[in-house]
Each structure stands twice: as structure tokens, then as C-alpha cells.
Amino acid sequence: MKNKPELLAPAGDIERLKIALKYGADAVYIGGPLLNLRANAINFTLDEIKEAVSFAHSLNKKVYVTVNIILHNEELEEVESYLKKLEEVEVDAIIASDLSIIKIALEKTNLQVHLSTQSSTLNIEACKFWKNEGVSRIVLARECYKDDIKEIIDNVDIEIETFIHGAMCAGYSGRCVMSNFLTNRDANRGGCSQICRWDFNLLNENLESIKGDMPFTFCSKDLSLLKYIKDMIDMGITSFKIEGRMRSTYYIATVVSIYRKAIDEYFNKKDSYEYNKEYEKILARCANRDSVPQFFNGVNDSSCSYYNGRDEVSNQDFLAVVLDYDKKTHMAKIEQRNYFKKGDIACIFGPNHSIIEYKFDKIYDEDGSIIEVVNHPKQIVYINIEKSLDKDDMIRVKF
């Protein structure tokens, strides 16, 4: 049997990093204060990166830092000093696409370099080139077919990382100029305004709106390769990557925990493994776009994108997060995320126990008074529950 693949999760801040690692990620990727493609994210300061690395290493897990921007001349001067600072705090690798960053990292530091998906690597010869350049891992383009991945793994002795879940680009990742053209926000420098999700009027040859037609988009549906986990493990992929550094703690906890279960279930029970379709329902409920296998299974047609109309309404499944649990009194201190009330039935999940079904019976406010409804943002309340809970367990609606 192949080695168990790494489960790699996104983290937009230290809270989400800790959630990802607690819920089963083997490694996380984060953005630092410079040169990364999430300009609108909070990102990590150098001190926070140091804290993140210390926390991850205490769990025998890893931290990768994205340095995947496309450089202009004025930024070249800061690259070497920044990379040396990342080396000092002992990050496990950087993720880069610009050849100048890769060259500086390999010549001036001892950093491991992973080639970003922004390089759109899809074939054997490209992988051989990057291996010869000194990168230790290649993050393949999200547009790679299953057979292409297999051929690359069979013919190039290098670690291969593939995306398994999350948003897709309408074009090859890292090659879009629509955002820059229409809004002067450069997608290849972290400022993507997601033009592909805009609604456009359809025009005739006279540039007149076509009556009766719905607005047009070229927005891709999300990626989900949950049902192909067994195939991907058998192929020998090194790392399974989840997209979403700007996603919520609930999203990260849910997605990471589901893929953690799927990987472990197949790896530990290969001869008797059965795909759990219930996991699909859970994943579908924590995102606001449909998900499909995209390019992996060789089918990339109109079913993989939205062209005329879509609903992206955020659900309100995430009810609360556990802040503390008193084993003597069986009281859980929880922080509200969405409206719930007495009589509602919820599910509580966490990394250290199976899903617990729970009916809200008595809800106490911070003064110890019984209340019927919890409807204030981040309201602190207490519930009585016999089964022991852990900090950062999540409470969601039952579905």
C-alpha cells in the first residue's frame, strides 16, 4: 500500500490554523506579510508565523508559507531578507511560482520550495524541469486529468500535491487578467475581484441586450474529489490540498474532518472500504456553490460551470462553538454563531469524538437565568450535556 497522503489545509489566521490542525490536517499553508496571493486576507505577521510553526511542530505537523506572487522589479530587493526570516522561524517550506523567488530561496537559504499551482504544471516534461531546478514538491494545476497525474507520478520522482476541494478559477490559475482589465485589481498579485462570478448582459452584433436571455457568467462550480479519495491514494499522490484561506473556522473544521475520515477509513480498511455518501451531504451544506470533480475524471462540460443564474445564499447551519466544558457539572460554555432556540435539535462534532445529537432543553445565559432563544451575535450561553465536549467542538443544525 502507498504511504498515507498528507492532508493540507488552508489557514487565514492563527485561529483557523489551530482549528485545521486540531481537526486532522497534517499541514497548513498560510500567507505571510509579503509576496502572497491573498492580499485581501488578514495574513500572518512574522511573529504569528513563528507562533504557528511552534504550535504545528508541537503536534509533529507542518507549516508552509505562500510566496507565490509574480514579482516586479521593485520587489526584488525585499525577497532575500524576507525568505531568510522565514528560514529563521523554521517554516517547513515555501510555496512559490516566480522563478526568481525559487532561485533566491534555493541559492540563499535552506528552505524547501514547493512549486505553486500558479505555474499551471500539467505535464511530465514540465515536472522534470522543475525537479532539475531544485523544487522538492510540485502542486499540479487544478486542470490536471487523472491519467496525467498518474503518468507524472510514474515518470518523475518528485512529491506531487493536488487540490481535492474548494473554489476553481474560470481559466488556468494564475493566468487571468480579467480582474486587472476591468477593476485594476491584479489577480496575479493577490487582488482578484472575481470577475468570473459577475453577471454580464448578453449582447447581439449591434451591442444591444438580447431580450429574454438571462445574464451570463463563466463562474466555475467548486471542486470536490471526495469520491475519488481511494483512487488518489492508490496513485501515490503525496499531499491532498484544500483551498480556502479566507474561509470560516466552521468550513475548515467541517471539510478537514470529512476528508480526514475518508482518508483514514480507506487507508486503514482498504479491503473492506465503503464510500460514505453521507459525507457528501455534509460537505454540500457548508459551502454556497455546487461541487463537481471538475477536470479529474475527464469530464469538463457545461455541468461544471454556472452560465445562467445561481444561488449563493450562505446557510445558517453553524450554531455555536464550544469554549469550555466542566466535567463535574456537565455544563458546556458555548458561543453563538447563528440563531437557535429551546427545542431545536443539533449535532455536535469534534476531532475527539463521534457526532453527538443534542436537543436544546435548558439554555442558560451568563447570569444563570434560563432563556428560550439565542439570537445575539456571539452570545455566550451554557447548556447541560452528559457527554464530554472539548474546546473548539462545533455545533450545527441536524440535517
Side-chain angles (χ1 to χ4, degrees), residues 114-330:
H114 296 174
L115 183 70
S116 172
T117 191
Q118 301 299 119
S119 292
S120 301
T121 308
L122 288 159
N123 63 75
I124 294 169
E125 290 304 317
C127 290
K128 288 179 178 178
F129 169 82
W130 287 113
K131 179 185 176 182
N132 290 335
E133 288 298 310
V135 303
S136 58
R137 178 185 294 185
I138 295 172
V139 187
L140 292 179
R142 279 174 267 196
E143 298 78 20
C144 223
Y145 295 129
K146 174 183 175 181
D147 290 344
D148 292 334
I149 299 172
K150 184 67 167 62
E151 286 188 37
I152 288 169
I153 291 172
D154 290 344
N155 288 279
V156 187
D157 184 19
I158 192 168
E159 291 186 358
I160 293 297
E161 178 177 307
T162 60
F163 279 88
I164 57 170
H165 199 88
M168 293 285 291
C169 291
Y172 285 103
S173 299
R175 309 295 178 185
C176 182
V177 296
M178 290 291 289
S179 177
N180 207 344
F181 181 77
L182 291 175
T183 67
N184 202 31
R185 289 171 53 184
D186 195 339
N188 299 315
R189 293 172 60 75
C192 183
S193 53
Q194 299 181 334
I195 303 299
C196 57
R197 296 178 190 167
W198 289 15
D199 289 336
F200 293 90
N201 292 325
L202 290 175
L203 308 179
N204 61 21
E205 62 272 15
N206 298 318
L207 301 183
E208 300 167 334
S209 294
I210 301 174
K211 293 182 179 180
D213 278 13
M214 297 176 66
F216 173 83
T217 72
F218 45 99
C219 174
S220 297
K221 294 180 181 178
D222 282 359
L223 169 71
S224 178
L225 292 176
L226 182 68
K227 66 176 65 174
Y228 294 101
I229 285 296
K230 64 182 293 294
D231 300 323
M232 300 177 79
I233 292 175
D234 290 343
M235 289 164 63
I237 295 170
T238 304
S239 181
F240 293 163
K241 188 171 195 171
I242 298 166
E243 180 275 338
R245 277 191 281 151
M246 298 177 73
R247 300 277 195 167
S248 69
T249 55
Y250 174 68
Y251 177 91
I252 291 170
T254 302
V255 175
V256 169
S257 64
I258 291 298
Y259 278 98
R260 177 78 278 153
K261 289 176 183 177
I263 293 168
D264 292 347
E265 285 169 8
Y266 176 62
F267 197 86
N268 297 332
K269 300 179 181 178
K270 188 173 182 181
D271 294 334
S272 59
Y273 172 76
E274 291 184 9
Y275 176 64
N276 191 335
K277 200 168 179 61
E278 290 297 313
Y279 292 164
E280 285 185 14
K281 298 179 183 178
I282 296 173
L283 290 180
R285 291 286 298 238
C286 73
N288 56 9
R289 284 189 297 274
D290 295 334
S291 59
V292 294
Q294 291 291 354
F295 292 82
F296 184 81
N297 62 358
V299 177
N300 189 255
D301 54 21
S302 59
S303 67
C304 298
S305 297
Y306 296 103
Y307 293 108
N308 297 112
R310 67 193 186 278
D311 292 322
E312 291 192 12
V313 179
S314 297
N315 68 47
Q316 297 174 335
D317 288 350
F318 183 23
L319 300 180
V321 60
V322 176
L323 300 180
D324 197 11
Y325 181 78
D326 190 323
K327 293 183 178 180
K328 293 182 179 179
T329 63
H330 304 294

Side-chain angles (χ1 to χ4, degrees), residues 331-346:
M331 295 295 290
K333 180 181 181 181
I334 66 175
E335 186 177 76
Q336 184 259 24
R337 288 294 184 272
N338 278 296
Y339 169 94
F340 62 91
K341 65 184 185 305
K342 179 181 178 180
D344 286 349
I345 299 176

Side-chain angles (χ1 to χ4, degrees), residues 7-46:
L7 180 57
L8 176 58
D13 57 28
I14 195 70
E15 179 189 13
R16 283 174 278 187
L17 178 141
K18 291 180 177 180
I19 290 293
L21 295 177
K22 284 183 179 181
Y23 274 80
D26 301 301
V28 290
Y29 63 99
I30 66 176
L34 299 171
L35 311 177
N36 85 91
L37 280 176
R38 283 295 180 269
N40 298 323
I42 298 173
N43 293 318
F44 286 67
T45 65
L46 282 169

Side-chain angles (χ1 to χ4, degrees), residues 42-58:
I42 298 173
N43 293 318
F44 286 67
T45 65
L46 282 169
D47 285 342
E48 288 172 334
I49 293 175
K50 185 176 182 179
E51 178 187 351
V53 170
S54 177
F55 179 80
H57 287 181
S58 72

